[in-house]
Amino acid sequence: MKDGVNGVALGVFLFFFLAVTVLGFLAARWRRAADEHTLDEWGLGGRSFGTWVTWFLLGGDLYTAYTFVAVPAAIYAAGAAGFFAVPYTILVYPLIFTFLPRLWSVSHRHGYVTTSDFVRGRFGSKGLSLAVAVTGILATMPYIALQLVGIQAVLDVMGVGGGDSTNWFVKDLPLLIAFGVLAAYTYSSGLRAPALIAFVKDALIYIVIAVAVIYIPIKLGGFDEIFKAASDKYTAAGAGGLVPAEAGQWTYATLALGSALALFMYPHSVTATLSGRSREVIRRNTTILPLYSLMLGLLALLGFMAIAAGVKVTNGQLAIPQLFENMFPDWFAGVAFAAIGIGALVPAAIMSIAAANLFTRNIYRDFINPAATPRQETRVSKLVSLLVKVGALVFVLTMDKTVAINFQLLGGIWILQTFPSLVGGLFTRWFHRWALLGGWAVGMLYGTIAAYGVASPTQKHFGGSSKEIPGIGEIGYIGLTAFVLNVAVAVVLTFALRALKAPEGVDETSPGDYTADAGDAGVETELPPATADASH
């Protein structure tokens, strides 16, 4: 790490940061609606985005600053096992092609803003809807915190904020300023802000990665030298070389599969999806989003390059920012840092909006103020989006960064447990609402207890997301094991409850809703009032 502040890199970083800040505030005037005080407008951008805006928004949403920093950092620290992110993003797109268009159609027909809106409408169950909403909020909070960790990593490498001995306020002031700007334009512009900024973010990331995979190998003597240096390090450390060790292959496979199932259960993924203006926009996006997987594969190689470049850091999250500072001219290092910083702002904004929408529609409206007007909903959602970001900021400033990372891993385990209710509900209503709630509870309980028992060299509890799979004896992803238990319990309880003739909730959807497109007759603009039958 260079001594003092890297003035040139900081200047370039500030230029791009100011540019996207201006874009964020201008976004409030972009495609402004006649009535902007509705969740459809503030929280979903008026459901008006076309193919390319949706593509950039989803890409900005899914490929975050944490992705930019953590994927190559995992490879830098642990070897090829860190590549699990590449196959899981390949697996996810055929999967979402089957259900995202159905989710968009039924949500468009009934005015659903969140996944919990759909679950309540499909199964007539506020209890199940509440479980999905609370899970989504809990899983999203540490994810937002990690975006702030990404910004903090860049600031640390640029030398901004002083050392560990510096007064805490001075040290964290740059992060506080970045947070304040993010909160202000998200409050003002809603989903339109990250949608507009995503163009800049993705353009910067593609430029940085394209330059990095050409320029850095030339400076290091080619990919032969890079792979040799990485192989030597992993072999010496007993990490199995450039392929996962045999003992870790179950972990690798189950983590990739479980992560693929979980990715589009996150509220921010669904928020970006529902902002599309037609069913065809969603179908097209599921076919072109794999371009980001190509980028991710190239990004992962930066972990090998950091090893070959001799990068030495005590915190693995700093490996890639430090590689950029060591290898690039200062001005281009500033561009790379801006790509990471803006790559944090876009998903953090979408995540806070998604969490706020869940609270507003499925906690505030369902349980606190059922008569809330669209204007009241929008105001509550704006305020909650601020509170969510404040919570994430406090999390980052007061807790060790490894805690944030491990809680994000726990969030992945949790959010996967909403899969049976959401995806199952899109294709069948065979599952009983109480059975789905029981399966969710078992999956959440098992996943949390199992993760609590995992230790790491730096943490006694919640030290990882893999543990021995009961009955198999192999080490695998806890989230996938919990998911299997979840489904098994839901199936058994459904048979039992149907045999006992337990009351069903009212399904307010119809078969035609799942294939409806924009402009089809019968589209509703507001979620219908809850009925007495949908109160359990």
Side-chain angles (χ1 to χ4, degrees):
M1 189 176 292
K2 297 177 182 178
D3 295 329
V5 177
N6 187 333
V8 175
L10 178 60
V12 175
F13 177 87
L14 289 175
F15 168 79
F16 283 106
F17 186 84
L18 290 173
V20 300
T21 298
V22 172
L23 279 177
F25 285 108
L26 289 178
R29 302 184 179 185
W30 178 43
R31 300 182 178 183
R32 176 179 282 180
D35 182 7
E36 58 194 77
H37 299 292
T38 67
L39 283 189
D40 264 15
E41 292 299 330
W42 183 82
L44 293 179
R47 304 183 192 252
S48 63
F49 297 148
T51 299
W52 288 111
V53 176
T54 305
W55 184 70
F56 279 109
L57 186 62
L58 278 167
D61 187 10
L62 302 175
Y63 296 87
T64 67
Y66 179 61
T67 307
F68 208 132
V69 169
V71 170
I75 292 166
Y76 169 83
F83 268 101
F84 83 92
V86 178
Y88 105 63
T89 59
I90 294 171
L91 289 171
V92 75
Y93 296 117
L95 175 68
I96 64 174
F97 184 83
T98 65
F99 75 83
L100 273 193
R102 294 177 67 84
L103 177 61
W104 183 93
S105 291
V106 70
S107 298
H108 183 79
R109 175 61 66 90
H110 289 276
Y112 298 148
V113 175
T114 68
T115 52
S116 293
D117 281 350
F118 164 71
V119 168
R120 188 188 70 170
R122 178 61 155 161
F123 294 101
S125 173
K126 282 187 179 180
L128 184 58
S129 170
L130 178 65
V132 172
V134 170
T135 306
I137 294 170
L138 288 176
T140 301
M141 287 291 289
Y143 220 151
I144 300 172
L146 287 180
Q147 307 316 309
L148 300 181
V149 168
I151 296 177
Q152 198 169 51
V154 167
L155 295 173
D156 286 347
V157 171
M158 286 192 295
V160 178
D164 291 334
S165 61
T166 307
N167 176 275
W168 73 267
F169 180 77
V170 174
K171 183 177 187 300
D172 294 321
L173 182 60
L175 186 62
L176 292 171
I177 294 172
F179 161 81
V181 171
L182 167 67
Y185 66 63
T186 303
Y187 186 93
S188 170
S189 305
L191 194 65
R192 288 178 171 84
L196 202 55
I197 296 171
F199 285 95
V200 179
K201 173 253 186 187
D202 286 358
L204 286 176
I205 286 181
Y206 273 109
I207 290 170
V208 169
I209 292 176
V211 171
V213 298
I214 296 172
Y215 178 77
I216 295 178
I218 291 174
K219 290 197 68 174
L220 294 176
F223 276 103
D224 283 349
E225 291 299 319
I226 291 171
F227 289 133
K228 181 179 184 304
S231 181
D232 290 345
K233 175 192 173 181
Y234 300 142
T235 301
L242 292 176
V243 296
E246 184 176 349
Q249 289 176 6
W250 268 82
T251 303
Y252 184 93
T254 55
L255 185 56
L257 178 57
S259 299
L261 294 174
L263 184 59
F264 273 81
M265 299 303 102
Y266 280 103
H268 53 279
S269 303
V270 173
T271 295
T273 299
L274 298 186
S275 69
R277 70 182 174 208
S278 71
R279 179 183 173 91
E280 192 58 31
V281 163
I282 306 308
R283 288 168 60 86
R284 281 197 292 265
N285 265 275
T286 61
T287 61
I288 60 178
L289 275 169
L291 286 173
Y292 280 101
S293 296
L294 173 62
M295 178 198 72
L296 187 62
L298 298 174
L299 174 65
L301 293 176
L302 296 176
F304 293 151
M305 295 179 198
I307 294 171
V311 171
K312 303 293 183 184
V313 290
T314 55
N315 177 1
Q317 307 302 313
L318 300 178
I320 303 313
Q322 192 62 55
L323 172 69
F324 290 158
E325 184 172 63
N326 292 353
M327 303 301 296
F328 288 145
D330 287 346
W331 70 270
F332 195 76
V335 174
F337 295 152
I340 298 175
I342 297 169
L345 296 178
V346 172
I350 305 170
M351 290 170 189
S352 65
I353 290 169
N357 288 346
L358 278 171
F359 175 86
T360 302
R361 290 300 284 260
N362 309 115
I363 298 177
Y364 175 76
R365 177 169 167 165
D366 280 354
F367 295 96
I368 300 173
N369 185 9
T373 66
R375 182 179 288 267
Q376 287 175 321
E377 286 184 352
T378 305
R379 184 171 65 249
V380 169
S381 202
K382 285 182 174 183
L383 291 173
V384 172
S385 76
L386 292 179
L387 292 175
V388 166
K389 285 190 279 287
V390 169
L393 183 66
V394 171
F395 196 90
V396 170
L397 297 182
T398 60
M399 301 186 74
D400 186 85
K401 305 305 176 291
T402 58
V403 176
I405 293 168
N406 289 330
F407 270 107
Q408 195 277 326
L409 294 174
L410 183 60
I413 294 170
W414 287 340
I415 202 66
L416 182 53
Q417 307 318 310
T418 65
F419 189 100
S421 299
L422 176 59
V423 179
L426 288 169
F427 292 95
T428 178
R429 203 167 177 271
W430 179 81
F431 288 106
H432 194 282
R433 53 182 175 163
W434 297 344
L436 287 169
L437 191 57
W440 167 85
V442 169
M444 292 285 285
L445 186 64
Y446 171 83
T448 304
I449 293 174
Y452 179 82
V454 177
S456 72
T458 59
Q459 205 163 320
K460 186 175 180 180
H461 302 293
F462 299 115
S465 58
S466 298
K467 195 171 186 177
E468 183 175 310
I469 304 171
I472 295 179
E474 300 285 351
I475 303 297
Y477 178 44
I478 293 170
L480 192 61
T481 306
F483 170 74
V484 172
L485 288 174
N486 181 343
V487 174
V489 169
V491 169
V492 171
L493 286 180
T494 294
F495 278 116
L497 290 167
R498 293 200 181 284
L500 294 172
K501 301 188 184 304
E504 298 276 0
V506 176
D507 181 5
E508 67 184 24
T509 71
S510 61
D513 295 342
Y514 295 87
T515 56
D517 206 343
D520 288 355
V523 173
E524 300 176 26
T525 58
E526 283 297 320
L527 188 67
T531 65
D533 291 311
S535 61
H536 299 291

